Amino acid sequence: MRYFIFLLLINSFIFSNDDTKLLTETWTPYQIETKDGLKGISVDLVQEIQKRVGNKNKIKVFPWNRGYDITLNKKGYALFLTTRSKQREELFKWVGPISSMKLVFFKNAHRDDLNINSLEDAKKVRSIVVAKKTISNQKLTQLGFENLELNTLSDNSLTKLMEGNVDLYPVEYHAFMYKLQTLGLKNKIIPVKMKEPIFESQLYIAFNKDTDDKVIQKWQRVLDDIKADGTYEKIVLKYK
């Protein structure tokens, strides 16, 4: 009996001192950087998980490419939100899903010359802007696209589309529509109407693959509890 209690205390100590370092990027409405700090659907959710598992590390904001490389190569790191795909499946360990995603093309509303009905049509345009190591970059490369323009700063992609320097911008539909509405650009940048999206998947917290499975299991259990007790829904409704 004493031995069992001792094991419970050790287990409690381990999880009350979870040292996972959390990285993210700015991505409205999931991760929003303000003068008062970070907020957003996934930020609020991850902070709630941190509180329940005893993780006191401050979430740090990095450009996507850098955060991805750090999490891929350094034990003890996790990155959110990360699209889970076959290509990435064995590169990380996963906790989620946090949300769903739908990858579609957007274009400048003035570009009446761009009639894109299929992926094959999109392969024929002059240029498609993608940020390096994003799911857009990885998925379109896998599909055989040779007209991709790599952009190291993802925030520049919208500017390039607005100025007509690129033809298409593949990006997650719901988050980008939220951004366009916030910026008053909903009628200037529009989604390309194709029968099916480029890609559909779910968004997760990606942990370095050397993370202890017990940590992954604990985070997943806590996330499941948050969904079950109504906390998840309350967080989402704050940003509707």
Side-chain angles (χ1 to χ4, degrees):
M1 183 63 179
R2 289 182 179 179
Y3 180 69
F4 177 71
I5 294 174
F6 175 75
L7 288 178
L8 287 177
L9 289 172
I10 290 295
N11 191 57
S12 176
F13 175 78
I14 289 172
F15 288 123
S16 65
N17 291 275
D18 184 310
D19 196 39
T20 304
K21 299 172 182 62
L22 282 302
L23 306 180
T24 193
E25 64 168 342
T26 55
W27 187 27
T28 305
Y30 298 108
Q31 298 105 227
I32 308 168
E33 196 171 15
T34 73
K35 63 179 181 179
D36 298 319
L38 285 174
K39 66 176 186 176
I41 295 172
S42 61
V43 170
D44 292 0
L45 181 58
V46 169
Q47 288 176 338
E48 180 64 24
I49 298 174
Q50 285 182 285
K51 183 173 69 176
R52 298 192 189 192
V53 301
N55 183 300
K56 298 180 180 180
N57 288 329
K58 185 178 180 180
I59 298 170
K60 294 184 178 180
V61 177
F62 280 91
W64 174 260
N65 188 30
R66 188 178 175 194
Y68 185 92
D69 282 342
I70 291 172
T71 306
L72 182 65
N73 296 302
K74 290 188 177 182
K75 184 178 179 180
Y77 283 86
L79 175 68
F80 69 95
L81 287 172
T82 307
T83 304
R84 190 169 183 173
S85 65
K86 289 182 179 179
Q87 187 175 1
R88 292 174 173 173
E89 184 65 33
E90 301 303 321
L91 299 179
F92 302 97
K93 290 183 179 179
W94 305 90
V95 170
I98 305 299
S99 186
S100 59
M101 67 86 69
K102 180 169 67 173
L103 186 66
V104 303
F105 288 116
F106 280 79
K107 70 173 185 176
N108 192 307
H110 295 300
R111 295 294 303 275
D112 294 330
D113 58 308
L114 291 177
N115 296 312
I116 310 298
N117 299 305
S118 67
L119 291 175
E120 291 305 313
D121 289 340
K123 288 181 180 180
K124 298 173 184 176
V125 304
R126 178 175 53 88
S127 61
I128 299 173
V129 64
V130 293
K132 192 176 181 180
K133 294 185 180 177
T134 59
I135 193 64
S136 303
N137 181 192
Q138 293 173 346
K139 194 64 183 177
L140 293 180
T141 299
Q142 182 184 6
L143 290 169
F145 279 74
E146 298 180 352
N147 54 348
L148 304 181
E149 179 179 320
L150 291 182
N151 190 14
T152 55
L153 298 174
S154 59
D155 288 345
N156 288 347
S157 298
L158 177 55
T159 301
K160 289 184 175 183
L161 197 62
M162 286 287 295
E163 295 177 350
N165 295 324
V166 295
D167 298 315
L168 299 173
Y169 178 29
V171 66
E172 203 283 315
Y173 176 81
H174 300 289
F176 197 59
M177 287 297 289
Y178 184 98
K179 181 176 183 177
L180 292 175
Q181 184 172 352
T182 301
L183 296 174
L185 297 174
K186 197 172 180 180
N187 296 322
K188 295 182 179 180
I189 301 296
I190 59 175
V192 171
K193 294 181 179 179
M194 291 170 47
K195 290 182 178 180
E196 296 182 355
I198 304 166
F199 176 69
E200 286 186 283
S201 186
Q202 293 180 309
L203 299 167
Y204 282 71
I205 307 169
F207 288 72
N208 177 273
K209 64 180 180 180
D210 292 325
T211 303
D212 192 318
D213 285 340
K214 291 181 180 178
V215 172
I216 301 299
Q217 292 162 8
K218 181 66 174 180
W219 277 66
Q220 186 64 58
R221 283 198 300 270
V222 170
L223 173 59
D224 293 342
D225 289 344
I226 288 172
K227 289 181 177 181
D229 66 22
T231 304
Y232 177 87
E233 185 177 1
K234 289 179 182 178
I235 290 173
V236 171
L237 288 175
K238 284 170 57 180
Y239 297 92
K240 289 292 187 181

